[in-house]
Amino acid sequence: MTVLVRSRRVVTPEGVRPLGVDVVEGRIAGLVPYDAGGGLDLGDVALLPGLVDTHVHVNEPGRTHWEGFATATRAAAAGGVTAVVDMPLNSLPPTTTVPNLEIKKKAARGQIAVDVGFWGGAIPGNLGDLRPLWDAGVFGVKCFLSPSGVDEFPALDGDGLTLALRELARFDGLLIAHAEDPWTLTEPTGPSYAEFLGSRTPDAEVRAIETVIAVARETGARAHIVHVSAGDAIPVLRAARSQGVRITAETCPHYLTLSAEEVTGTAFKCCPPIREAANRDALWAGLADGTLMGVVSDHSPCPADMKSPDDFAMAWGGISSLQLGLPVIWTEASARGHSLEDVVRWMARGPADFAGLSYKGRIEVGADADLVAFDPDAAFVVEAGDLAHKNPVTAYQGRALRGVVRQTWLRGAAPGHGRFLTRGAR
């Protein structure tokens, strides 16, 4: 199959250029002059590489009424995301052993509209499962340093973290960590957002990140901090990286665009929490200088009744945003003077490179022809009921956004026939 897609605004690693993208058998075979004509002409609608989201909670099997592979991957495609990596929780069973990984793959098979890879899990008692999971192709293993919210995925204590990183260092595996210090966290003293926010301070995040950095430095292992919310963590991460510690980190759309001052209900609850507006500038600075490798969703959905209206202490913590990340980030990034090239670096190439998917997240010869027609000047208002997510719950309800995904291609074709992604293999 041969496809040609042309745009005056093709975002490539060399910049935004008028080009035609020639697709043969699902890969980019060539970049040709825009004026050569032929094919599908997008005009001034931008052509981006498909986004790569390495932080998605699909929840199937076991909690498929929260989200499932069919709905999650349709939402991804609608939002310009052509590859996702699924978290090891909150499915039942969690992805903490190779047999459990196979159960998850069986549940996903035949349902995925985009490409899907998997993280494994590191929990107390499964140290011997980390190498088999790695050999089975997971992209790394995730741990929590504080309670995860589900009993079947307990946190690692300090000794457990050290043992896990020592084991991973033996084969250059990767640990990704939810970093909040359990000894600094407190119980909310009431149901309000202010009380919830006060129970999960920036200090809790910074102290946990410092712990991961210290053990990564000692063991030489690779570690990654998920969903950084605290601006105070950026100089800590920056310093560690400058000293040669093998530490990377990410942030999420909600931390870059929402603020504690505008929280109106429990749809905004997540852990770590959305912080005050003044906190965001440091996160944007961390993106701009590469301290943060990129922006991923941490799509963590649940049924509406689990959001416990007006009680932040009891509501499930998670933001549903898989379909909305691109326009959410573009709206804020463009207002701050950033370009489409920046957004592609943060949401496509950065996460792809982090996961070792060198053939994803870029428009260049030889890469998968995962493409997105994105109209950066169009606008819309978010209506939760219009999203492909299984449950119509979103913190962005009623929000006016810039940028509309007009069409998504997976390997040059309409999404619908996703493949499993395996670390180290194409």
Side-chain angles (χ1 to χ4, degrees), residues 84-121:
V84 303
V85 186
D86 173 62
M87 284 289 160
L89 71 165
N90 300 298
S91 57
L92 291 168
T95 315
T96 51
T97 67
V98 171
N100 289 0
L101 172 64
E102 293 306 315
I103 290 171
K104 180 166 280 193
K105 286 185 173 180
K106 182 178 180 181
R109 193 166 284 115
Q111 295 200 77
I112 52 177
V114 301
D115 291 350
V116 175
F118 301 93
W119 295 106

Side-chain angles (χ1 to χ4, degrees), residues 2-179:
T2 301
V3 179
L4 177 68
V5 183
R6 295 189 296 135
S7 168
R8 295 187 185 92
R9 304 164 76 179
V10 178
V11 182
T12 76
E14 290 73 39
V16 179
R17 302 159 58 192
L19 288 172
V21 179
D22 188 21
V23 178
V24 178
E25 297 298 328
R27 296 186 185 179
I28 298 173
L31 301 177
V32 301
Y34 171 80
D35 292 336
L40 174 63
D41 185 3
L42 300 176
D44 288 327
V45 171
L47 188 65
L48 316 182
L51 307 188
V52 177
D53 192 337
T54 55
H55 195 147
V56 178
H57 294 268
V58 177
N59 304 332
E60 186 176 5
R63 292 190 174 99
T64 312
H65 59 296
W66 294 20
E67 187 69 280
F69 284 103
T71 49
T73 57
R74 283 200 301 269
V81 178
T82 52
V84 303
V85 186
D86 173 62
M87 284 289 160
L89 71 165
N90 300 298
S91 57
L92 291 168
T95 315
T96 51
T97 67
V98 171
N100 289 0
L101 172 64
E102 293 306 315
I103 290 171
K104 180 166 280 193
K105 286 185 173 180
K106 182 178 180 181
R109 193 166 284 115
Q111 295 200 77
I112 52 177
V114 301
D115 291 350
V116 175
F118 301 93
W119 295 106
I123 61 173
N126 84 326
L127 192 66
D129 293 295
L130 303 187
R131 181 62 186 260
L133 281 165
W134 182 256
D135 291 343
V138 301
F139 287 84
V141 293
K142 181 179 186 178
C143 76
F144 278 71
L145 302 188
S146 57
S148 71
V150 291
D151 292 341
E152 68 275 3
F153 204 96
L156 294 180
D157 61 15
D159 289 342
L161 175 67
T162 299
L163 289 171
L165 280 170
R166 282 179 182 164
E167 174 65 12
L168 291 165
R170 297 179 200 278
F171 49 90
D172 202 31
L174 171 66
L175 182 84
I176 65 174
H178 178 123

